[in-house]
């Protein structure tokens, strides 16, 4: 698959107190973002475990965007800071496995920042297009591992 | 508790090369608390190993299981079926757990972690060594601070005189144990203890006297 025709599958874990509302606001503002992003609403990015990220990659996600509240603005005080550490830890694992660390990224967004959210999604998709599809989509895919989208 | 750290994925691949059906066996006790070998870490490492296997054509099939304690037969028995249906066990327990499994099953059992020390959770996500299990505890002499473990020179009659401010001269990121001992004994009014010169330690009670065994006759039937 050439990188021009490649449409990456991006999973965006969005905190319900900030970026999920920002995504909602983007809709109200008629801001458009590509359809190949799958938004997963989470109660707080601190709920996200490294396991979730690894499983998503295992099942064929090209990239993951973790969108939490602005630092200092987490509804649960430090959930977004925990998520930041876990994203860094996942990047280490990805590098050790042979996947690019840039396939996962943490951003901080407030509920009012619809435009920056769209920009971040577009930027992440551009990064994924430049590094190409996840090699896990091509090789030895176990029968039950394919992501249903 | 026993504190361990994970091995990297390339290290695990090197250890497991040539095997196919792998049981990644976690332990629910010490290594769970130190975030190295519990159910969650097993899940993360198993995913990582499966990803690496697919990318490098290693055809690993990784099964995950975590038992309450790997150093206790009652719990090990619960893993029997899973151990029997796999070719090899990658234990995410401490060194004792790995050996306990290896002694009971006639198949390769490998360590997935590096066992580091006996220590405590000092602060969030920071573990420090507190005991080397020397077999003859002298903590009462030193205000509850072990000079054998925490002084880089293991001095029983300190300080060495090399500390800078309150930092150890061998490891500047660690406090001088003798500074801590002096301060602690002063605080609890037992500075007098330092006036006695301590005799050289008998290391026969430690690992230097060979691997140790404790038998409690009163509990044997």
């Amino acid at each position: 698959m050439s990188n021009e025709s490649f449409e990456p599958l991006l999973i965006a874990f969005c905190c319900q107190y900030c970026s999920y509302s920002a995504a909602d606001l983007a809709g109200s503002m008629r801001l458009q973002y590509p359809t190949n992003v799958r938004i997963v609403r989470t109660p707080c990015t601190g709920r996200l475990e490294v396991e979730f990220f690894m499983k998503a990659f295992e099942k064929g996600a090209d990239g993951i965007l973790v969108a939490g509240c602005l630092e200092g603005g987490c509804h649960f005080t430090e959930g977004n800071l925990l998520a930041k550490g876990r994203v860094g830890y996942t990047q280490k694992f990805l590098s050790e496995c042979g996947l690019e660390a840039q396939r996962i990224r943490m951003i901080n967004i407030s509920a009012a920042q619809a435009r920056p959210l769209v920009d971040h999604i577009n930027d992440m998709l551009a990064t994924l297009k430049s590094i190409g599809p996840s090699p896990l989509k091509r090789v030895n895919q176990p029968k039950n591992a394919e992501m249903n989208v | 508790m026993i504190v361990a750290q994970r091995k990297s994925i390339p290290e695990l691949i090197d250890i497991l090369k040539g095997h196919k059906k792998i049981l990644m066996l976690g332990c629910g006790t010490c290594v769970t608390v130190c975030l190295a070998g519990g159910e969650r870490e097993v899940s993360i490492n198993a995913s990582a190993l499966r990803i690496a296997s697919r990318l490098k054509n290693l055809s690993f099939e990784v099964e995950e299981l975590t038992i309450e304690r790997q150093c206790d037969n009652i719990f090990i028995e619960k893993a029997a079926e899973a151990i029997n249906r796999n070719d090899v066990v990658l234990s995410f327990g401490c060194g004792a757990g790995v050996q306990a499994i290896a002694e009971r099953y006639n198949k390769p059992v490998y360590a997935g972690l590096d066992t580091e020390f006996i220590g405590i959770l000092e602060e969030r996500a920071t573990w420090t060594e507190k005991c080397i299990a020397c077999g003859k505890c002298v903590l009462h002499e030193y205000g509850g601070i072990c000079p054998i473990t925490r002084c880089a020179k293991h001095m029983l009659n300190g300080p060495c005189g090399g500390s800078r401010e309150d930092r150890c001269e061998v490891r500047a990121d660690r406090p001088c144990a003798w500074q801590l001992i002096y301060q602690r004994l002063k605080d609890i009014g037992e500075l007098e203890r330092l006036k006695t010169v301590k005799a050289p330690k008998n290391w026969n009670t430690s690992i230097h006297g060979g691997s140790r065994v404790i038998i409690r006759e009163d509990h044997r039937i």
Side-chain angles (χ1 to χ4, degrees):
Chain A
M1 195 189 299
S2 73
N3 280 7
E4 290 83 53
S5 63
F6 159 57
E7 286 301 333
L9 172 63
L10 174 64
I11 313 293
F13 289 103
C14 292
C15 159
Q16 66 174 1
Y17 290 98
C18 54
S19 49
Y20 191 82
S21 304
D24 204 21
L25 181 63
S28 306
M29 291 168 69
R30 309 281 168 96
L31 298 174
Q32 293 209 335
Y33 54 85
T35 52
N36 39 358
V37 54
R38 301 285 182 273
I39 292 187
V40 180
R41 180 183 179 180
T42 63
C44 171
T45 48
R47 174 65 189 90
L48 300 170
E49 306 288 352
V50 178
E51 296 156 87
F52 300 177
F53 307 144
M54 296 303 288
K55 285 278 187 295
F57 283 119
E58 216 183 318
K59 286 174 181 284
D62 292 300
I64 295 174
L65 192 67
V66 178
C69 301
L70 298 173
E71 290 192 8
C74 174
H75 186 78
F76 301 101
T77 319
E78 55 185 24
N80 53 354
L81 302 178
L82 290 171
K84 186 182 174 185
R86 289 170 194 167
V87 168
Y89 193 54
T90 307
Q91 287 176 327
K92 262 191 209 168
F93 269 101
L94 294 184
S95 303
E96 287 180 17
C97 294
L99 281 176
E100 299 82 359
Q102 308 100 287
R103 290 191 183 275
I104 184 166
R105 184 186 294 177
M106 169 105 197
I107 60 166
N108 299 93
I109 287 284
S110 85
Q113 293 178 308
R115 169 65 69 188
L117 177 68
V118 172
D119 292 345
H120 277 300
I121 289 171
N122 284 327
D123 188 57
M124 183 70 187
L125 288 169
T127 304
L128 293 176
K129 280 189 176 183
S130 73
I131 56 179
S134 164
L136 290 169
K137 281 183 169 164
R138 296 192 304 267
V139 290
N140 306 331
Q141 180 82 299
K143 273 181 196 160
N144 59 352
E146 199 159 350
M147 187 168 274
N148 232 347
V149 289
Chain B
M1 67 172 164
I2 294 166
V3 181
Q5 283 199 99
R6 75 177 184 97
K7 286 183 188 287
S8 69
I9 299 301
E11 277 179 278
L12 294 182
I13 290 171
D14 200 40
I15 290 169
L16 294 166
K17 220 180 281 169
H19 295 291
K20 191 173 180 208
K21 297 182 78 171
I22 298 157
L23 173 66
M24 197 178 271
L25 188 63
C27 178
T29 313
C30 310
V31 291
T32 292
V33 183
C34 68
L35 308 177
E39 195 171 4
R40 184 167 291 162
E41 287 70 32
V42 164
S43 169
I44 297 165
N45 280 278
S47 278
L49 214 50
R50 279 191 289 262
I51 290 173
S53 158
R54 280 162 64 191
L55 293 177
K56 298 176 204 299
N57 275 326
L58 296 166
S59 51
F60 288 162
E61 288 173 22
V62 186
E63 183 181 342
E64 305 163 28
L65 177 70
T66 300
I67 55 175
E68 192 65 34
R69 259 205 309 276
Q70 279 190 27
C71 54
D72 196 323
N73 214 15
I74 291 172
F75 299 107
I76 296 173
E77 281 168 6
K78 292 184 178 169
E81 276 180 33
I83 293 172
N84 286 330
R85 67 173 165 259
N86 283 283
D87 302 334
V88 55
V89 180
L90 181 66
S91 164
F92 267 53
C94 68
V98 177
Q99 293 179 63
I101 306 284
E103 280 168 10
R104 287 163 176 80
Y105 293 91
N106 195 21
K107 57 177 65 188
V109 180
Y110 301 133
L113 301 178
D114 292 322
T115 305
E116 304 284 348
F117 52 77
I118 300 173
I120 64 158
L121 181 68
E122 190 87 31
E123 56 184 83
R124 190 166 173 163
T126 305
W127 293 267
T128 52
E129 185 169 16
K130 298 290 182 197
C131 178
I132 63 162
C134 70
K136 197 72 189 169
C137 193
V138 291
L139 278 168
H140 59 287
E141 299 275 9
Y142 301 96
I145 294 160
C146 179
I148 299 161
T149 311
R150 295 168 69 181
C151 169
K153 299 171 187 176
H154 317 300
M155 296 191 77
L156 292 175
N157 297 287
C160 66
S163 62
R164 293 174 194 170
E165 301 295 334
D166 60 348
R167 302 279 103 184
C168 171
E169 77 165 344
V170 177
R171 287 200 55 175
D173 61 328
R174 304 297 303 147
C176 166
W178 272 96
Q179 170 90 12
L180 297 175
I181 290 167
Y182 177 83
Q183 198 57 50
R184 171 81 180 145
L185 288 175
K186 194 175 168 189
D187 291 347
I188 60 175
E190 290 193 9
L191 261 183
E192 288 295 308
R193 284 188 181 274
L194 293 183
K195 287 188 175 164
T196 322
V197 175
K198 309 296 183 302
K201 187 174 172 59
N202 179 0
W203 290 98
N204 271 343
T205 55
S206 77
I207 187 71
H208 304 298
S211 88
R212 293 162 281 182
V213 60
I214 295 172
I215 299 169
R216 282 281 302 268
E217 291 297 349
D218 55 323
H219 280 263
R220 287 171 74 97
I221 299 169

